[in-house]
Amino acid sequence: MATIANWLGAGCLVAGALLGLAAAIGVLRFPDALSRMHAATKPQVLGVLLLLLGIALRLRSPSDLGMILLVAVFQLATAPVAAQMIGRAAYRSGRLDRSLLDADELAERGSGDGSARPA
């Protein structure tokens, strides 16, 4: 049983590393801030979770599993907030092409710089 867990752990480690590599390539290659934000959060979070799963399958001690669980929770809590802040800063600073947006809900609220007050 330990051999199967070790092989599954190794597979998760390789898959997580490949997703991390794909996220890094996406951040370097994508043309605009919103695409880069997507590449920096979606595959990176899944890659980190796969890496953590692979480490958990390899270590299997209760204290290590608790620490791995904490890292996973903090990763899932901080990545969406970081992506939202990056997108908001890009929108407000005008560093994105608004013609690429399917819908622009913030344009209805004003100029996007925070000066408009909601009704």
Side-chain angles (χ1 to χ4, degrees):
M1 188 62 141
T3 305
I4 294 172
N6 285 337
W7 280 103
L8 285 174
C12 287
L13 289 171
V14 170
L18 289 175
L19 278 171
L21 177 66
I25 291 171
V27 168
L28 292 174
R29 298 292 308 240
F30 284 156
D32 62 337
L34 296 180
S35 299
R36 289 179 181 173
M37 175 190 64
H38 178 78
T41 55
K42 300 281 185 180
Q44 183 266 340
V45 170
L46 183 57
V48 167
L49 292 178
L50 281 172
L51 286 171
L52 292 173
L53 178 62
I55 292 169
L57 287 170
R58 300 287 304 231
L59 295 178
R60 295 188 290 269
S61 75
S63 63
D64 293 333
L65 294 178
M67 187 62 65
I68 290 169
L69 181 64
L70 280 175
V71 171
V73 167
F74 285 128
Q75 180 69 31
L76 288 172
T78 58
V81 174
Q84 196 270 340
M85 289 290 120
I86 292 169
R88 185 180 206 163
Y91 184 87
R92 285 185 172 182
S93 66
R95 296 195 181 258
L96 59 93
D97 184 10
R98 293 185 184 190
S99 66
L100 296 175
L101 299 176
D102 289 332
D104 190 359
E105 292 89 4
L106 293 176
E108 299 168 0
R109 299 180 87 187
S111 63
D113 61 359
S115 60
R117 301 282 179 217

